[in-house]
C-alpha cells in the first residue's frame, strides 16, 4: 500500500498543480479508474498507513486517501461507474486550496490571525 500511495500521491500532486497553473491535466482518468478498480469493490476492511516524507506529502497523500475512501463508499452504495468516476475525481480537488495557501498557514499550530 505504501508504494501505491507514494506513486499515486505524486500523480495527484501533478494533476492538482497542473490544474492550478492552467496546464493540461494528464493522468486523471487513469488514476480515477485505477482507484475505482482497486478499492471500489473491496469486501474486506482496509487499514490506512501514511508515511510522510515532507509536509507537502501530507496534502497529496491525504487527497489520495480521501479518493480511496470515496471509491469504497461509492462501491458499498452500488453506484454506477459514471457516478463513481465523478465522485472520485471530485475527491481529488475537494481540498485544492491547500496547494494555494502558504505552507506556514496550512501547518501552523494554533489559531490563524
Amino acid at each position: 500500500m505504501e508504494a501505491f500511495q507514494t506513486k499515486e500521491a505524486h500523480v495527484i500532486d501533478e494533476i492538482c498543480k497542473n490544474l492550478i497553473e492552467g496546464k493540461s491535466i494528464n493522468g486523471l482518468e487513469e488514476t480515477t479508474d485505477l482507484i475505482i478498480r482497486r478499492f471500489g469493490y473491496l469486501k474486506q476492511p482496509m487499514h490506512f498507513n501514511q508515511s510522510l516524507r515532507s509536509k507537502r506529502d501530507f496534502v497529496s497523500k491525504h487527497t489520495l486517501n480521501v479518493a480511496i475512501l470515496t471509491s469504497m463508499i461509492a462501491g458499498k452504495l452500488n453506484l454506477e461507474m459514471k457516478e463513481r468516476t465523478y465522485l472520485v475525481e471530485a475527491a481529488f480537488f475537494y481540498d485544492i486550496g491547500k496547494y494555494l495557501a502558504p505552507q506556514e498557514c496550512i501547518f501552523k499550530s494554533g489559531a490563524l490571525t
Side-chain angles (χ1 to χ4, degrees):
M1 178 66 172
E2 186 176 342
F4 174 82
Q5 278 183 318
T6 300
K7 179 184 177 295
E8 295 308 318
H10 175 72
V11 171
I12 289 172
D13 199 42
E14 288 300 312
I15 288 169
C16 290
K17 286 178 183 176
N18 285 342
L19 177 68
I20 290 166
E21 294 171 5
K23 297 178 181 176
S24 63
I25 300 172
N26 299 317
L28 178 62
E29 295 83 12
E30 295 86 1
T31 304
T32 301
D33 186 57
L34 176 63
I35 289 170
I36 292 169
R37 283 186 288 110
R38 185 163 179 175
F39 302 102
Y41 301 96
L42 287 178
K43 302 296 182 203
Q44 72 275 7
M46 190 176 123
H47 301 283
F48 284 87
N49 303 351
Q50 198 163 309
S51 68
L52 304 175
R53 292 177 176 82
S54 70
K55 287 183 176 182
R56 182 61 117 183
D57 207 23
F58 168 79
V59 175
S60 55
K61 283 192 176 181
H62 172 70
T63 299
L64 174 61
N65 288 339
V66 169
I68 290 169
L69 288 169
T70 300
S71 180
M72 293 170 74
I73 292 167
K76 289 286 185 190
L77 294 172
N78 291 315
L79 298 179
E80 293 181 23
M81 186 59 144
K82 188 174 185 178
E83 292 171 309
R84 292 179 193 214
T85 300
Y86 288 152
L87 289 171
V88 171
E89 286 178 357
F92 292 155
F93 303 118
Y94 94 99
D95 218 3
I96 201 161
K98 286 187 179 175
Y99 285 92
L100 299 169
Q103 294 296 295
E104 59 271 10
C105 291
I106 299 296
F107 299 105
K108 181 180 185 292
S109 60
L112 293 174
T113 59

